[in-house]
Amino acid sequence: MIFYNDISDNDWPKITDEIITNIITEYLNQSTIEYNRLRWFYRRLTQIGHPGGIDVTLDNIERLTPCFANVCMYLGSVQKIPPEKWKDIGTRTLALLKTDVVKTNEYFRLLLLSLFTRNEHVNHFASLIRTYAHSEALARREIVLSAKQNSANDWLRREDEIYQPSLATRGGVCLLHILNT
């Protein structure tokens, strides 16, 4: 296996956005899309965290539903990307949360919400808190973790005051613990 740290500075320029975009596009333009191979390719992209497939992936997300989990893992692995690009990724991810495939699949919702917990540049916390009250416990957990990532300490303190035990069920997070870390 090859990982992000295994690729030398001399080799990074050889892996271009254009090459990655062309590979994904070629798979998607086949008369019968080979999703097994496409999933394999996204797993390799996830290993190296190269951002070259972000735009083509988000532009074609409806066609990538059979490998949606791999796509989400890939998006979470991306490195070496400017902060303003992350803001756009966050906006597009929020739109994905409203699609039928994500609304009907808790696993996909959690994968997408986890993107907001890993990177402060994806910050769309104001939009996430609007969904907090009607979200299931594990989605609330991801929103709380996003609050910590985005230094929304006032919101966390307020929520801790009206803390609901349902947040701590099924592997949830205690707000007080998050505030103190």
Side-chain angles (χ1 to χ4, degrees):
M1 284 196 208
I2 296 176
F3 294 98
Y4 176 81
N5 292 334
D6 296 333
I7 300 173
S8 72
D9 290 338
N10 293 335
D11 288 336
W12 266 110
K14 297 174 186 172
I15 308 170
T16 66
D17 293 3
E18 182 181 0
I19 290 171
I20 293 172
T21 296
N22 288 343
I23 291 170
I24 294 170
T25 302
E26 191 171 315
Y27 277 122
L28 290 174
N29 287 338
Q30 294 175 341
S31 58
T32 302
I33 299 173
E34 296 181 54
Y35 286 107
N36 284 337
R37 290 183 179 201
L38 200 48
R39 282 190 285 272
W40 178 89
F41 185 67
Y42 274 106
R43 287 192 300 271
R44 300 301 74 84
L45 282 177
T46 299
Q47 287 178 315
I48 63 172
H50 194 287
I54 292 174
D55 289 330
V56 68
T57 297
L58 293 174
D59 290 342
N60 293 284
I61 199 70
E62 301 84 21
R63 297 172 63 200
L64 291 167
T65 303
C67 47
F68 198 80
N70 299 95
V71 166
C72 291
M73 298 303 281
Y74 162 64
L75 292 173
S77 75
V78 172
Q79 301 184 37
K80 287 193 172 188
I81 187 169
E84 59 275 1
K85 178 89 172 173
W86 276 118
K87 191 76 170 171
D88 178 57
I89 292 169
T91 300
R92 295 173 84 177
T93 301
L94 284 173
L96 287 176
L97 287 168
K98 297 175 185 173
T99 62
D100 288 338
V101 70
V102 175
K103 282 197 270 187
T104 58
N105 189 312
E106 182 182 35
Y107 178 66
F108 290 166
R109 277 192 309 282
L110 295 175
L111 281 173
L112 289 175
L113 285 170
S114 73
L115 294 175
F116 295 95
T117 68
R118 296 184 207 161
N119 185 323
E120 75 264 11
H121 302 297
V122 183
N123 185 358
H124 281 75
F125 185 68
S127 297
L128 290 176
I129 60 172
R130 287 193 283 269
T131 66
Y132 182 80
H134 59 272
S135 294
E136 65 271 6
L138 291 176
R140 286 183 184 178
R141 175 185 182 271
E142 295 300 320
I143 294 169
V144 167
L145 292 171
S146 174
K148 180 62 177 173
Q149 178 68 263
N150 291 285
S151 302
N153 296 328
D154 291 339
W155 182 83
L156 285 167
R157 279 189 198 87
R158 185 175 49 103
E159 284 302 308
D160 195 40
E161 290 170 7
I162 57 173
Y163 174 63
Q164 298 180 19
S166 64
L167 182 62
T169 61
R170 293 177 44 201
V173 173
C174 177
L175 292 173
L176 188 59
H177 174 72
I178 290 174
L179 284 170
N180 292 326
T181 56

